[in-house]
Amino acid sequence: MNSYIAFFDVDHTILNSSSGRLLIRYNYQEGRISRKDLILNMIIAHLCKKGVLNTDRIIEKWAMKYKGVDEKEILKLSMNWFDDILVNHIREEARKEIEYHKKNNGKTVLLSAALPYICNPISEHLEIDDVICTQMEIENGKFSGRILGNACYGIGKLHRAQEYCNSYTNKIDNAYYYADSIADIYVLERVKNPVCVTPDKKLRRVAQERSWRICDW
């Protein structure tokens, strides 16, 4: 049995960029979206990062765009995208931290608002033990346009992390969490070992006030 759990965020933590932005650019380069859509989606991603827009609502609206799309199509796209682009954005420092926890009998888990089509290839590549992320509802092999349950974001992340720890008889009090955004404050406040990875301004200020570990990767 693992002695503790080490949770890792994905965007700007394991990755040196936003998976959403990288995917938008990839879709544009592959001719799947127009330049207008590219610019609009980049603006939306930036405003979500800054906390100006309601991320939960944006995720719900984004999911509706995929209503009726075959999941197999997205699975194929995500694997090609990972091999072509995403693997090159994994931070070497993140690899080392994951290996450190494996060697010390820690259970490594991705905890992210991103979708499985982003998280699963990263998890498989880094040999991470498990994934907790936002799920899209599938009906007869196609996307329904709805999120399954709640998005794994903000306070929702904390609820998912607590449920996961309880299911494995591990206490969240003993856990680690690596994250970059003030939106992750709910989990960071709850775990024993909060680690702020190249944090945004608000999170950096909180981390400094509370003497949390800061890693500028």
Side-chain angles (χ1 to χ4, degrees):
M1 181 181 293
N2 299 103
S3 57
Y4 66 93
I5 296 174
F7 294 107
F8 289 82
D9 186 29
V10 171
D11 291 346
H12 299 288
T13 303
I14 286 180
L15 300 178
N16 62 11
S17 183
S18 160
S19 59
R21 290 180 183 179
L22 293 171
L23 183 57
I24 290 165
R25 290 195 190 103
Y26 183 72
N27 281 332
Y28 173 69
Q29 291 166 357
E30 294 292 307
R32 295 187 181 91
I33 62 173
S34 66
R35 182 171 178 79
K36 179 181 178 181
D37 287 335
L38 169 69
I39 295 171
L40 178 60
N41 282 305
M42 294 297 280
I43 291 171
I44 290 172
H46 176 72
L47 293 177
C48 283
K49 174 68 176 174
K50 293 295 184 181
V52 176
L53 296 179
N54 184 307
T55 301
D56 289 322
R57 290 291 300 143
I58 294 299
I59 291 173
E60 289 174 4
K61 288 183 179 180
W62 182 85
M64 280 300 299
K65 293 183 178 181
Y66 284 83
K67 184 176 181 179
V69 175
D70 195 311
E71 186 189 22
K72 291 180 181 178
E73 179 182 335
I74 301 302
L75 285 169
K76 181 179 179 180
L77 168 65
S78 70
M79 293 308 299
N80 291 338
W81 171 56
F82 178 81
D83 292 337
D84 292 345
I85 305 293
L86 204 60
V87 68
N88 300 316
H89 288 272
I90 295 175
R91 285 173 160 152
E92 189 59 32
E93 297 91 341
R95 293 179 186 271
K96 292 177 180 178
E97 290 291 308
I98 291 165
E99 287 304 315
Y100 167 81
H101 290 296
K102 288 180 180 179
K103 291 176 181 177
N104 285 276
N105 197 34
K107 188 179 184 68
T108 54
V109 180
L110 291 189
L111 178 63
S112 172
L115 295 169
Y117 315 101
I118 294 169
C119 294
N120 288 346
I122 294 173
S123 175
E124 291 171 10
H125 178 77
L126 296 174
E127 297 182 347
I128 288 174
D129 296 312
D130 217 338
V131 173
I132 304 172
C133 65
T134 302
Q135 300 281 343
M136 292 178 70
E137 186 180 67
I138 307 294
E139 293 180 343
N140 300 318
K142 298 181 184 296
F143 295 111
S144 70
R146 295 184 294 271
I147 295 295
L148 193 61
N150 297 318
C152 188
Y153 179 81
I155 191 68
K157 265 192 183 181
L158 175 57
H159 294 157
R160 299 281 294 275
Q162 286 178 318
E163 289 171 0
Y164 185 87
C165 287
N166 292 340
S167 68
Y168 281 92
T169 66
N170 285 92
K171 294 183 179 179
I172 196 170
D173 299 5
N174 297 328
Y176 286 73
Y177 186 42
Y178 292 75
D180 71 292
S181 171
I182 193 64
D184 295 302
I185 191 70
Y186 301 100
V187 183
L188 290 166
E189 286 180 328
R190 190 70 179 82
V191 298
K192 181 180 180 180
N193 300 286
V195 184
C196 301
V197 177
T198 317
D200 60 29
K201 289 182 179 179
K202 290 182 180 179
L203 181 56
R204 184 178 292 273
R205 185 165 57 249
V206 172
Q208 290 171 339
E209 290 172 353
R210 302 185 187 186
S211 299
W212 288 351
R213 179 183 169 194
I214 298 175
C215 296
D216 286 310
W217 291 348

